[in-house]
Amino acid sequence: MSLKQRADRQGMPCQDPQVRRHNFQEVALGYTKEQAMEEAGRCLQCKKPKCREGCPVEVLIPDFIQAVADGDFAQAAVLLKEKNALPAICGRVCPQESQCEAKCIVGIKSEPVAIGRLERFVADWEMRQGATLPEQAPRKGKKVAVVGAGPAGLTCAADLAKLGYDVTIFEALHTAGGVLMYGIPEFRLPKDIVEQEIDNLRKLGVEMQFNSVVGKATNVHELLANGYEAVFLGTGAGLPNFMGIPGENLCGVFSANEFLTRTNLMKGYCFPEYQTPVKVGRKVAVLGAGNVAMDAARTALRLGAEEVHIIYRRSEKEMPARAEEIEHAHEEGVQFQLLTSPVEIIGDENGWVKAMKCVRFELGEPDASGRRSPVAIPGSEYIMDIDTVIVSIGTGPNPLATKSVPDLELNRKGNIVADEDGRTSIPGVFAGGDIVTGAATVILAMGAGKKSARAIDEYVMAKTAEKAI
């Protein structure tokens, strides 16, 4: 291992923190063949594998790991892609530590088998060899529309294509991927990986229409009237929340969505090749402590900020971000101002951010989420010199698609009401992912897309049978 590398707790080689904080190359470098086989050899091949219970997309975990241990990487890829349409993505961004790896029996007494690392290895190996397509059923001659090309929509489309449907994805942006393209930084999820996974869907026959805003150019009922047997809504939760404090309209205040979209989707990190403006000051404050906040903070460092501060009103124990992302942020020099929250953003005479008034907190009793509630400490206000603020306190559903369908039932937050298989209040209309649950993880959205694909197949087949009577 070179001096510019280190290994994480699961033996994955990584860039050295002091090197990677200045570039956008992928932090984790991937297992070698020998490392992958050695790690796969740790799997106990349990007769009743609990790891599968923790996987929202039902991956055949022990089977593909055994194939890796045997050195049969081609078979491992076949087994992996039988259930997962986006393995190279999941191997990088899925929170395995709270899902499949949390159920691993090996993890009771030592580190669990690195399922996610092995998934990434297999997917990357197959990409280098030239990806093979999973088996497809004969074409049914039935059309299904998928609205949104994020993780839920892509998974639903892939599974329906494998079942023999003619699938068209309608995507508002100019490219597919959703949050995979605009939200997650290059150093965590290289965009060429996303593009290769999406190309595999095209090879399955999935058609993609870009710059197509369902809710403006067309709506759900028009799609159903124009020959589509069913519609899946996977439009995500891309509408940013703000704190509602004075000064949020000053120049130099971003939502994390805008900041990351400018950097990732619009290639702001590729200056001067791309001319996307991304204003990053000397001292950056990121409000929030989820994965998106860590992404924004680490991106700001790479764009040249001298100091980046995570501002969070609870302690590190309560942070919702993955432990790995928090660890990487610490290693790269992000500073954590905990038990702290802003109450005002202060501007200069030209309307630009110059400082932020904060108040200190202490933790009280747990709230409904189980986390201890922060309680402001009287008289603890202080001023931080800051010239850029990135607000990362969650997102809500974009109402464009749903507002055009008044008979679609929504909850009080504007999320679509759907059952566990994605059925909505309108027959033939299904929904899944963040538009239903609120902002969650990539893999949970994919799991919802998979369930809806099965439900759509059942619905269309039942409807076809009725017509035949």
Side-chain angles (χ1 to χ4, degrees):
M1 186 176 297
S2 80
L3 293 176
K4 293 185 178 181
Q5 294 182 16
R6 55 180 287 278
D8 69 8
R9 62 182 176 81
Q10 293 181 324
M12 172 77 88
C14 297
Q15 283 194 74
D16 181 88
Q18 296 311 308
V19 173
R20 72 187 191 225
R21 62 174 286 171
H22 299 294
N23 68 57
F24 277 84
Q25 297 166 20
E26 191 168 12
V27 169
L29 303 176
Y31 281 150
T32 63
K33 178 173 69 174
E34 294 75 18
Q35 288 170 326
M37 292 177 67
E38 181 180 357
E39 182 63 25
R42 297 178 62 231
C43 179
L44 300 176
Q45 291 297 315
C46 304
K47 290 184 178 179
K48 295 183 178 179
K50 293 185 177 295
C51 53
R52 284 204 66 195
E53 298 173 8
C55 179
V57 294
E58 307 162 4
V59 166
L60 305 171
I61 294 171
D63 307 70
F64 98 79
I65 288 180
Q66 183 61 60
V68 174
D70 295 340
D72 190 349
F73 306 138
Q75 177 62 11
V78 169
L79 292 165
L80 189 55
K81 292 174 71 174
E82 184 176 325
K83 297 289 186 178
N84 189 349
L86 309 171
I89 292 168
C90 290
R92 287 168 164 82
V93 302
C94 176
Q96 292 94 357
E97 69 279 359
S98 62
Q99 295 179 152
C100 54
E101 292 177 12
K103 305 268 187 181
C104 177
I105 299 300
V106 175
I108 295 174
K109 292 187 176 180
S110 64
E111 285 291 335
V113 175
I115 299 168
R117 305 288 196 250
L118 293 172
E119 181 178 33
R120 169 189 166 157
F121 168 80
V122 172
D124 288 359
W125 179 89
E126 191 201 33
M127 281 185 177
R128 290 193 296 272
Q129 312 308 310
T132 57
L133 295 180
E135 290 185 10
Q136 289 182 263
R139 310 314 297 171
K140 296 181 186 291
K142 304 286 186 183
K143 297 198 305 179
V144 177
V146 171
V147 182
L154 292 173
T155 302
C156 186
D159 281 17
L160 287 168
K162 287 189 285 186
L163 288 168
Y165 289 91
D166 298 323
V167 184
T168 302
I169 297 178
F170 296 86
E171 167 56 45
L173 295 176
H174 62 278
T175 189
V179 70
L180 305 172
M181 290 296 282
Y182 74 73
I184 303 176
E186 181 79 8
F187 56 82
R188 277 219 294 140
L189 181 62
K191 301 305 163 243
D192 66 319
I193 295 291
V194 181
E195 288 165 357
Q196 287 183 71
E197 296 272 52
I198 291 167
D199 280 344
N200 290 336
L201 267 72
R202 291 191 177 94
K203 292 173 184 175
L204 287 172
V206 175
E207 181 186 345
M208 301 184 190
Q209 293 190 17
F210 300 122
N211 304 306
S212 298
V213 183
V214 173
K216 291 294 183 183
T218 186
N219 62 45
V220 167
H221 288 300
E222 288 175 357
L223 291 171
L224 291 172
N226 287 326
Y228 291 97
E229 303 286 342
V231 177
F232 175 77
L233 296 173
T235 51
L239 196 65
N241 297 330
F242 286 89
M243 294 189 66
I245 60 175
E248 278 187 311
N249 60 343
L250 289 167
C251 299
V253 179
F254 293 89
S255 69
N257 274 34
E258 179 188 355
F259 181 74
L260 291 171
T261 298
R262 284 177 177 271
T263 306
N264 301 326
L265 183 66
M266 300 170 69
K267 306 288 188 183
Y269 71 95
C270 290
F271 185 86
E273 181 183 354
Y274 288 80
Q275 297 292 315
T276 302
V278 185
K279 167 71 168 64
V280 178
R282 291 176 53 248
K283 295 184 178 182
V284 178
V286 179
L287 314 184
N291 290 324
V292 176
M294 299 303 148
D295 286 344
R298 297 170 67 198
T299 294
L301 273 181
R302 287 161 169 77
L303 290 174
E306 294 176 13
E307 293 179 14
V308 179
H309 301 262
I310 288 283
I311 312 296
Y312 183 55
R313 61 184 187 147
R314 291 181 167 96
S315 72
E316 188 162 320
K317 181 181 178 181
E318 286 80 28
M319 285 184 181
R322 294 179 69 186
E324 176 182 277
E325 302 309 321
I326 297 169
E327 178 185 351
H328 284 171
H330 275 298
E331 289 175 345
E332 291 168 9
V334 174
Q335 301 177 42
F336 287 72
Q337 310 297 327
L338 305 177
L339 295 168
T340 300
S341 185
V343 292
E344 181 183 358
I345 301 169
I346 302 167
D348 63 17
E349 63 277 7
N350 296 315
W352 286 87
V353 174
K354 72 172 185 179
M356 193 165 64
K357 182 188 288 186
C358 298
V359 63
R360 299 190 191 280
F361 284 78
E362 58 187 1
L363 294 179
E365 296 301 313
D367 62 14
S369 70
R371 295 184 297 175
R372 294 174 65 190
S373 299
V375 179
I377 300 172
S380 64
E381 294 86 356
Y382 69 100
I383 303 294
M384 286 183 70
D385 290 333
I386 291 292
D387 49 22
T388 303
V389 177
I390 302 170
V391 183
S392 181
I393 58 169
T395 54
N398 191 313
L400 274 176
T402 56
K403 275 192 172 181
S404 67
V405 192
D407 49 338
L408 184 64
E409 184 182 356
L410 309 178
N411 66 18
R412 62 182 181 82
K413 293 183 178 179
N415 297 97
I416 297 172
V417 175
D419 69 14
E420 63 178 17
D421 292 318
R423 299 179 187 87
T424 72
S425 58
I426 302 175
V429 178
F430 297 76
D434 291 0
I435 189 64
V436 173
T437 61
T441 62
V442 167
I443 193 66
L444 289 176
M446 290 176 62
K450 178 173 282 291
K451 287 182 178 180
S452 286
R454 278 198 291 260
I456 288 169
D457 181 44
E458 292 171 5
Y459 169 80
V460 174
M461 289 299 96
K463 190 168 71 168
T464 302
E466 286 178 12
K467 289 180 179 178
I469 295 174

